Amino acid sequence: ETCLCMPFLESVSTGVTLNAAAPSTLQKVLLPRLTSIAGSLGVQNSDVLVEVQMPLLQTIGASCHIQSNSVLQSMQVPQLLSVGATVGVRTNAVLPAFEAPLLTSIGTDVDIRYNDLLTSVVLSTVSSFSGELRYQANPELASPIHFPSVAGAVKKVSVIDCPKVPS
């Protein structure tokens, strides 16, 4: 198992991009003390990355994109509070869950689509975002789409082809 482990990294002044396509052998990323990323977080286009752990990450200054990963099984950001732009979880073949139970602020869009085995999305503490809320083509998603604290206006709300989402 090939692992990127940076046990003492606390912040990144630009962005973090994890693009582990073959011939890469990077299977696991452990950033146990990382608390902030000033730019974007991208976990994308990987056919080998299985697990990403950022247990203390609280802020992402720009976007968070988890997309086009064929074997990603775990994306852990349990302390995430704020994302400056879009949260996108798209086209992940086997990712079972995306949970950010403390996330309160998203700058623009919530975009959850084309995830074959995604069963759970937890973003229920989000109180603000200004863009589009899109849940599309998540055939196994069975968790409620629940944003009880969002007030004011958003641009658009779309829920398409998510047959197991409770009403």
Side-chain angles (χ1 to χ4, degrees):
E1 177 176 270
T2 305
C3 181
L4 168 63
C5 184
M6 300 178 78
F8 302 108
L9 179 68
E10 294 178 359
S11 66
V12 176
S13 62
T14 57
V16 172
T17 301
L18 302 170
N19 187 340
S24 173
T25 58
L26 182 62
Q27 294 177 301
K28 189 174 196 176
V29 175
L30 301 173
L31 303 174
R33 290 194 186 171
L34 182 65
T35 60
S36 68
I37 299 170
S40 291
L41 168 61
V43 178
Q44 55 203 23
N45 303 319
S46 175
D47 53 8
V48 292
L49 188 60
V50 174
E51 180 178 0
V52 177
Q53 291 184 24
M54 299 177 182
L56 298 181
L57 182 63
Q58 295 180 346
T59 58
I60 299 171
S63 293
C64 173
H65 291 290
I66 315 304
Q67 64 187 28
S68 301
N69 298 293
S70 61
V71 296
L72 185 65
Q73 296 174 11
S74 177
M75 178 69 207
Q76 297 178 20
V77 288
Q79 300 295 314
L80 188 61
L81 301 172
S82 172
V83 176
T86 296
V87 171
V89 181
R90 296 181 294 265
T91 319
N92 296 289
V94 298
L95 185 67
F98 180 78
E99 299 179 350
L102 303 180
L103 183 61
T104 58
S105 176
I106 297 171
T108 55
D109 301 322
V110 177
D111 188 8
I112 313 292
R113 57 186 160 138
Y114 308 118
N115 297 288
D116 297 339
L117 298 180
L118 190 70
T119 60
S120 175
V121 175
V122 176
L123 299 171
S124 57
T125 57
V126 171
S127 59
S128 68
F129 65 94
S130 61
E132 183 175 347
L133 172 66
R134 179 186 304 165
Y135 279 65
Q136 181 177 355
N138 300 294
E140 298 302 319
L141 185 62
S143 62
I145 299 172
H146 191 60
F147 293 87
S149 300
V150 172
V154 298
K155 190 179 198 180
K156 183 178 180 182
V157 175
S158 302
V159 179
I160 302 166
D161 289 334
C162 298
K164 294 185 180 180
V165 170
S167 50

